Amino acid sequence: EAGVTQFPSHSVIEKGQTVTLRCDPISGHDNLYWYRRVMGKEIKFLLHFVKESKQDESGMPNNRFLAERTGGTYSTLKVQPAELEDSGVYFCASSQQRTTAQYFGPGTRLTVL
Amino acid sequence: DAKTTQPNSMESNEEEPVHLPCNHSTISGTDYIHWYRQLPSQGPEYVIHGLTSNVNNRMASLAIAEDRKSSTLILHRATLRDAAVYYCILRDKGGSNYKLTFGKGTLLTVNP
C-alpha cells in the first residue's frame, strides 16, 4: 500500500511568489493534516481536514496560506505571496480516524529567498 | 494540552537496549501516550501508543508507570537505523486532541 506522498520534495522561490504544495494521503484515510517545521523550531500543526471539510485551521499562520481538499482526496496548500519566514519543511499526514496513528509524508522543503 | 518532558539527547551502542524516558505528571485519565520518531530527512513515524498497560509491537515496547505520570519507550536492540528524534505525545482518548503536539523530543545517537 502506498504511503503519504508529497510534491514537490523541494521548492525554492523568491519572496512574493506563489507556491502550491500537494499531498496525497493514504487511500481511504478521511483525515488529513498539515504540519510544518520552520528553522530551529518544533513541528507545529497547521490544519486538519475530515474528507473535504476543514475541521481545525487554528494553526494556519495568516491569510497568505490557503488549504484545500477538493473531493476529499488529495490536498493542496498554497502560500501567496510567500515571505522569508515561510521557509521550512511542510509535512502532510493522514489517518483513518482522528484518534488513530497518523502517517506522515516525507515533507516538502520550502525555501523563500 | 498536557505537557511531556524528555531528555534532550541520549546515546546508545548498537545492539544494546535503549530506554527513552518521558515524564507527563499532568496527564489526564483519558490521555493516551503516543510515541513518534523522526529519522533524518524523513517525516515523523508512528512507533507505539498505550493507555495504562505495557504495550509491545514489532518496533518497540512501551512501559507505563502505575500512576501514569511517566513512561519509557524501550528499543530492545538498537540499530544504526534507530538513530532519530523520539517524541512522546499525549492524545485524548475522546478524540478532542486529534492534532499532534510535538515538543523538542529526545535525539538518540546510536554508536556502531
Side-chain angles (χ1 to χ4, degrees), chain B:
Chain B
D1 296 333
K3 293 190 181 300
T4 62
T5 304
Q6 300 177 252
N8 289 335
S9 63
M10 291 186 64
E11 201 167 324
S12 174
N13 296 320
E14 200 174 9
E15 298 193 3
E16 290 184 355
V18 182
H19 291 231
L20 297 163
C22 180
N23 288 321
H24 28 78
S25 58
T26 59
I27 190 170
S28 75
T30 56
D31 283 334
Y32 274 97
I33 301 158
H34 283 243
W35 284 81
Y36 282 74
R37 71 180 184 180
Q38 186 175 21
L39 281 65
S41 301
Q42 295 188 28
E45 175 186 32
Y46 168 78
V47 178
I48 199 168
H49 76 280
L51 185 63
T52 56
S53 303
N54 294 345
V55 184
N56 300 295
N57 66 19
R58 64 175 179 80
M59 290 181 70
S61 295
L62 176 60
I64 301 172
E66 194 169 336
D67 63 5
R68 299 206 332 120
K69 294 183 185 298
S70 66
S71 61
T72 302
L73 180 70
I74 302 166
L75 307 178
H76 295 285
R77 290 183 66 208
T79 69
L80 297 179
R81 292 188 299 173
D82 290 322
V85 179
Y86 287 79
Y87 298 97
C88 171
I89 298 170
L90 302 182
R91 297 187 76 191
D92 183 3
K93 181 174 67 171
S96 64
N97 186 17
Y98 42 81
K99 58 188 176 186
L100 296 174
T101 301
F102 290 86
K104 291 181 170 54
T106 296
L107 174 63
L108 175 66
T109 301
V110 181
N111 300 314

Side-chain angles (χ1 to χ4, degrees), chain A:
Chain A
E1 180 181 324
V4 177
T5 58
Q6 293 186 244
F7 182 83
S9 57
H10 293 85
S11 181
V12 180
I13 61 173
E14 294 189 352
K15 176 182 173 181
Q17 289 186 324
T18 298
V19 63
T20 300
L21 314 181
R22 173 172 170 142
C23 169
D24 286 79
I26 293 172
S27 177
H29 282 193
D30 288 339
N31 294 272
L32 187 148
Y33 313 81
W34 284 96
Y35 295 83
R36 76 171 181 178
R37 182 202 295 272
V38 296
M39 183 71 75
K41 302 289 187 180
E42 297 154 15
I43 298 172
K44 295 291 188 186
F45 166 82
L46 295 179
L47 87 159
H48 170 215
F49 284 99
V50 176
K51 296 184 180 178
E52 66 275 9
S53 299
K54 294 176 186 175
Q55 294 297 297
D56 183 356
E57 295 183 84
S58 63
M60 295 287 264
N62 51 60
N63 59 10
R64 295 185 294 103
F65 289 75
L66 175 64
E68 294 181 325
R69 193 182 182 195
T70 307
T73 55
Y74 72 90
S75 174
T76 58
L77 179 64
K78 179 190 287 188
V79 185
Q80 179 181 30
E83 298 290 344
L84 300 178
E85 63 265 25
D86 301 332
S87 295
V89 183
Y90 290 75
F91 296 105
C92 174
S94 71
S95 67
Q96 282 188 319
Q97 299 172 23
R98 290 191 289 184
T99 57
T100 55
Q102 294 184 16
Y103 296 89
F104 283 76
T108 293
R109 180 173 296 277
L110 174 64
T111 302
V112 183
L113 302 175

